[in-house]
Amino acid sequence: MSEKSIQAAETFKSGFNCSQSVLSVFADEFGLSKDSCLRLASPFGSGIARMQETCGAVTGALMAIGLKFGKGEHGQEADKAHAYKLSQELISKFKDKNKSICCRDLLDGLDINTPEGMAEIQKRDLFKCNCYKYVQEAVLITEAILSERTK
């Protein structure tokens, strides 16, 4: 584990969602405040707005990749292509470890939006057992991608 992955897990345990927990540990690297990153990533938790689509840990990681490599106002198409390539690498590595990037799949097919689904998730402590690990893995993969590549 890295310092950032531990910090992200602590952020998650303190009540922030998976996306917030991942993106916020990269705030300093991009000259952003932790609070700005927490706000930005807020709607992406629980598979984007609790829709259980793309895992929030993955979306937080993708935002970090975009901040470093994405196409900005004065960027070029090559920047966008590079960010896509690195994002695909992140997704592939996350899938290799976890079989999916879909929040619902990662929570064993349970629906967080139904009382029954949430009760089962809580009974099995899946947020702690599963999501805690996904947050840490997303950070580790992102750290490797950010450190191996230059813009």
Side-chain angles (χ1 to χ4, degrees):
M1 292 294 120
S2 69
E3 184 178 322
K4 276 186 170 76
S5 69
I6 293 166
Q7 183 184 6
E10 291 300 317
T11 301
F12 183 74
K13 282 199 300 191
S14 74
F16 291 97
N17 71 39
C18 40
S19 189
Q20 292 173 298
S21 300
V22 171
L23 181 61
S24 67
V25 299
F26 295 100
D28 289 346
E29 238 171 279
F30 303 112
L32 299 170
S33 71
K34 181 176 182 175
D35 187 62
S36 291
C37 288
L38 291 170
R39 289 171 180 264
L40 175 65
S42 183
F44 293 88
S46 299
I48 305 174
R50 293 184 62 98
M51 306 240 350
Q52 289 189 279
E53 299 292 336
T54 304
C55 171
V58 173
T59 59
L62 292 171
M63 285 186 263
I65 289 171
L67 283 167
K68 183 163 184 178
F69 299 108
K71 178 184 174 188
E73 287 182 336
H74 304 290
Q76 299 175 14
E77 286 303 303
D79 298 330
K80 188 190 318 180
H82 186 59
Y84 284 167
K85 180 179 180 252
L86 297 176
S87 296
Q88 290 167 359
E89 179 182 331
L90 174 122
I91 289 167
S92 177
K93 288 181 177 184
F94 191 90
K95 277 184 174 179
D96 285 347
K97 290 180 177 283
N98 302 297
K99 309 295 183 239
S100 181
I101 62 166
C102 177
C103 175
R104 187 181 309 259
D105 294 343
L106 295 169
L107 289 173
D108 298 339
L110 297 167
D111 187 345
I112 64 173
N113 295 300
T114 66
E116 303 79 24
M118 184 57 92
E120 185 64 21
I121 289 167
Q122 290 172 333
K123 176 182 165 191
R124 293 168 50 191
D125 208 9
L126 293 182
F127 292 132
K128 183 178 180 189
C129 296
N130 292 18
C131 299
Y132 186 84
K133 176 180 76 126
Y134 303 142
V135 164
Q136 289 188 307
E137 287 174 351
V139 169
L140 290 169
I141 295 166
T142 304
E143 284 181 300
I145 288 171
L146 295 182
S147 68
E148 290 173 7
R149 308 301 193 287
T150 57
K151 189 159 185 167

